[in-house]
Amino acid sequence: MRVELLPAGPRMVVCAENPRRAARLIPMKLSRRRWLHGTGVGLGLAAMPSVAVPWLAGPRLAQARLSPRENVLEEAKSPFNHIVVAETGDVVTMYFVVDGTYYIESRFDRSHPRSLDLDYTRTMMAGFVLHPGPKRLLMIGLGGGQISNYLFERIPDLEIDAVDIDPEVIRLARKYFGVPDSPRYRTHAADGRLFVEQSPPTPGWDMIMLDAFRGVFVPLHLKTREYYQALRDHMSPRGVVVANLHNATPMYKHDRTTFADAFGQGYAFHTERGRQTIYVASADEQATSTYAMRANARRAQPAFDFDMQGLAARWYLGRDWDDNDVRVLHDDFSKTNLEQGIERHNERCVGSDCDYAYPTR
């Protein structure tokens, strides 16, 4: 489902390509803090007096323009993104602008700098339900750095490598979103595939988080069986991969199928409102039991400011996709043409997979 917010007088309305989805839109008035804590995908309309929100949102909540109450702090254009950083009171938002539409990449509430305000970011902590004591973390897709900032502050011995293809994103994250300068929090301006492939396989990362969006899509070379194999090759023996998946898009069934093909075990967690699925994959031969997950949640709890037992309870086993025309996603380039293939995918969505979920640019 493509979600686009268009101006309609003093209100904003959501236009969805799927009319059944559009019929389920729920208008409501929300304060800034209630909007921050209640939404799971994006927060672009927090300053509007009245908004309509989708029951199931698309890849990134979008808005046709900035709110009049938002003050632009900086605007930057790079070979990869058109970036706008704006503030409303204590809330700073990083937008990616695509064809005139503002897609929320990250949001930082300066009055609550050590909390995760977005539903999906809290749910991505499900990785700790499977691996409660990681020492090395790889974050693919820095954005404003809110997930990695949070973990840096709360887990004192955690070594973090945060990768973003766009140096301007890293610069703005450091300037406006509190990304610290620390030897145990390293930022890398690199493609998330090349960075992994060119890194030594040992000692390996204990946890790898995948949240690399280019506006509304994830480049295909970051979603394929070959990429997941590269991640496996660079994980510690009990390592896990945590992926942010949008379960309302046609690509979702292919994502789930590709993960299942690449990893021995997989665990799906619904976000609080069910708009997204956070998928945790591991190469373990044996599945982790419910009791072990609860024990892991108790072990990890001191580092977190929300209920990890409640998060563990959101693990679900049901198949929430159809099997029609489902397939494992593969690279459309050879290993010898890795850099050229990656460059094509970073320029735009290419290949037959664009027909499923992504707009061609």
Side-chain angles (χ1 to χ4, degrees), residues 46-74:
M48 297 301 290
S50 181
V51 298
V53 291
W55 184 256
L56 286 172
R60 282 287 190 268
L61 193 65
Q63 62 189 69
R65 62 189 179 190
L66 295 178
S67 160
R69 298 183 185 180
E70 289 186 277
N71 174 46
V72 174
L73 298 175
E74 190 165 341

Side-chain angles (χ1 to χ4, degrees), residues 3 33 74 114 163 189 196 210 221 231 237 259 274 278 313 361:
V3 176
R33 291 300 303 164
E74 190 165 341
R114 292 180 174 83
V163 180
V196 171
L210 306 179
H221 64 279
L231 296 182
F259 266 114
I278 302 304
R361 295 183 56 197

Side-chain angles (χ1 to χ4, degrees), residues 36-337:
L36 280 167
H37 286 289
T39 55
V41 179
L43 305 167
L45 304 177
M48 297 301 290
S50 181
V51 298
V53 291
W55 184 256
L56 286 172
R60 282 287 190 268
L61 193 65
Q63 62 189 69
R65 62 189 179 190
L66 295 178
S67 160
R69 298 183 185 180
E70 289 186 277
N71 174 46
V72 174
L73 298 175
E74 190 165 341
E75 184 171 2
K77 291 185 178 180
S78 75
F80 305 102
N81 297 296
H82 175 191
I83 313 160
V84 173
V85 177
E87 68 176 353
T88 306
D90 289 329
V91 178
V92 183
T93 304
M94 178 184 289
Y95 295 99
F96 285 174
V97 185
V98 181
D99 296 330
T101 301
Y102 290 73
Y103 294 91
I104 292 171
E105 177 61 23
S106 192
R107 174 149 288 172
F108 176 44
D109 187 344
R110 289 176 296 209
S111 64
H112 298 272
R114 292 180 174 83
S115 293
L116 293 173
D117 286 309
L118 299 181
D119 177 4
Y120 94 89
T121 59
R122 292 191 296 273
T123 309
M124 286 192 77
M125 300 305 107
F128 290 82
V129 173
L130 279 303
H131 194 314
K135 300 298 183 183
R136 300 185 75 229
L137 169 75
L138 173 62
M139 185 81 207
I140 302 294
L142 173 68
Q146 294 315 287
I147 291 175
S148 45
N149 286 5
Y150 178 86
L151 294 174
F152 173 79
E153 291 284 348
R154 291 181 170 274
I155 305 178
D157 59 347
L158 184 64
E159 296 278 335
I160 298 173
D161 289 292
V163 180
D164 201 289
I165 195 171
D166 194 338
E168 282 294 281
V169 168
I170 296 175
R171 180 183 69 83
L172 294 170
R174 289 190 177 279
K175 185 174 181 180
Y176 296 106
F177 291 82
V179 173
D181 184 10
S182 168
R184 69 176 181 90
Y185 189 157
R186 299 171 290 272
T187 56
H188 309 269
D191 174 82
R193 175 74 174 270
L194 282 179
F195 181 83
V196 171
E197 299 260 12
Q198 295 172 355
S199 296
T202 56
W205 287 285
D206 302 314
M207 188 174 295
I208 301 174
M209 291 189 170
L210 306 179
D211 192 29
F213 279 82
R214 290 286 308 282
V216 295
F217 71 93
V218 178
L220 178 63
H221 64 279
L222 300 180
K223 299 168 72 68
T224 62
R225 176 64 169 78
E226 291 79 8
Y227 181 48
Y228 297 155
Q229 183 60 53
L231 296 182
R232 284 191 61 167
D233 294 341
H234 290 80
M235 289 163 55
S236 62
R238 297 299 304 275
V240 296
V241 173
V242 185
N244 175 24
L245 304 178
H246 294 281
N247 54 35
T249 67
M251 184 61 79
Y252 176 69
K253 62 183 180 181
H254 308 300
D255 288 331
R256 289 292 302 267
T257 301
T258 305
F259 266 114
D261 190 72
F263 290 91
Q265 307 296 334
Y267 310 84
F269 296 81
H270 271 146
T271 54
E272 293 161 18
R273 297 194 172 204
R275 293 169 177 168
Q276 288 155 278
T277 292
I278 302 304
Y279 191 77
V280 183
S282 81
D284 287 347
E285 293 184 3
Q286 299 294 324
T288 301
S289 70
T290 302
Y291 299 105
M293 286 190 201
R294 291 173 181 170
N296 289 341
R298 287 193 294 270
R299 179 182 167 188
Q301 183 62 69
F304 296 92
D305 60 345
F306 58 89
D307 182 14
M308 291 295 289
Q309 292 279 7
L311 175 54
R314 281 190 265 129
W315 170 46
Y316 70 96
L317 288 169
R319 181 183 291 266
D320 55 350
W321 71 93
D322 67 79
D323 288 324
N324 295 329
D325 192 31
V326 67
R327 68 190 189 280
V328 174
L329 301 174
H330 286 284
D331 289 343
D332 62 353
F333 49 81
S334 67
K335 189 75 171 179
T336 57
N337 292 321

